[in-house]
Amino acid sequence: PYRLADAFRAAARSLGANVLTHTEVTGLGIHARRVTAVGTAAGSIPCDLVVNAAGAWAPQIGRMAGLDIPVQPVRGQIVCTETLPKVLSACLSTTDSYLAQKQHGEVIIGSTTEEVGFDVGVTPSAMKNLAVGAIRAVPFLSSVRVKRVWSGLRPGTPDELPILGPVEGLGGYLNACGHFRTGILNAPLTGLLIAQLAR
C-alpha cells in the first residue's frame, strides 16, 4: 500500500496535481446545490469537483455536504513474521486467518474484523488467535519469530460493497469510498470510473 500510494502521488504530480500533505479539511463550500470549494485549516480552495475518497472517515466529509454516507471503521489486526525462505507460493485463506508471503520473505497473517470505532490498537488475544490459526495451516511457522504487529481501519459498508459516483441533488461531488477489504485491489478500477464520471 505504501508503494502504491507513493506511485499514485508521483503520477498525480507529473500530471500537474498539487498535493497538500497534513492539511485538514474543515468544510465544503456549497452554492446553488453544488460544491464550489474545500475549506481547510490553511484556507479555502475553490474547486469544480470534490471526490470523497476518505476511507473510514468518508462520513465526516459527507456530513460537510449534508450527506449520510453509510461507512463505518472496521479494525483489522495483522501479524508479520521475520523474513523467511519461500514458504508460500500463493495467498492461503482458512477459517482462522489468511497468510501471504511478501516478495522479501515476510509472512503476513491477518486479519481480524472488529467494529471498535477508530481504535487502532492491537490486542494480545487477537495476535494469539491469528498466530494459532496460521500455525494450524502451516506448522512450520511455530518456530518463527514475530517481527511486528499492527492494525488498520477498513471502510466498511452494510453490504460490503463500495459507494461510487454522484449524489442526487448535489453537483460537483462524487463518492469513491466504502471499499472495505478491497480498496488497494480496486484502486485502479475505481480511479478509472471516477475519472470518467468527472469529465
Side-chain angles (χ1 to χ4, degrees), residues 33-93:
R33 300 177 68 183
R34 183 171 191 83
V35 176
T36 57
V38 175
T40 75
S44 182
I45 302 169
C47 67
D48 294 323
L49 178 70
V50 164
V51 177
N52 184 350
W57 293 266
Q60 284 95 316
I61 301 299
R63 282 193 290 275
M64 293 175 186
L67 303 172
D68 180 21
I69 309 294
V71 168
Q72 72 278 346
V74 180
R75 181 171 69 184
Q77 299 186 55
I78 297 176
V79 175
C80 177
T81 72
E82 63 186 318
T83 301
L84 301 171
K86 192 70 170 170
V87 178
L88 300 171
S89 58
C91 184
L92 175 63
S93 184

Side-chain angles (χ1 to χ4, degrees), residues 11 60 89 111 113 125 129 141 151 161 191:
Q60 284 95 316
S89 58
S111 164
T113 302
S125 61
N129 291 341
L141 295 175
S151 73
L161 295 174

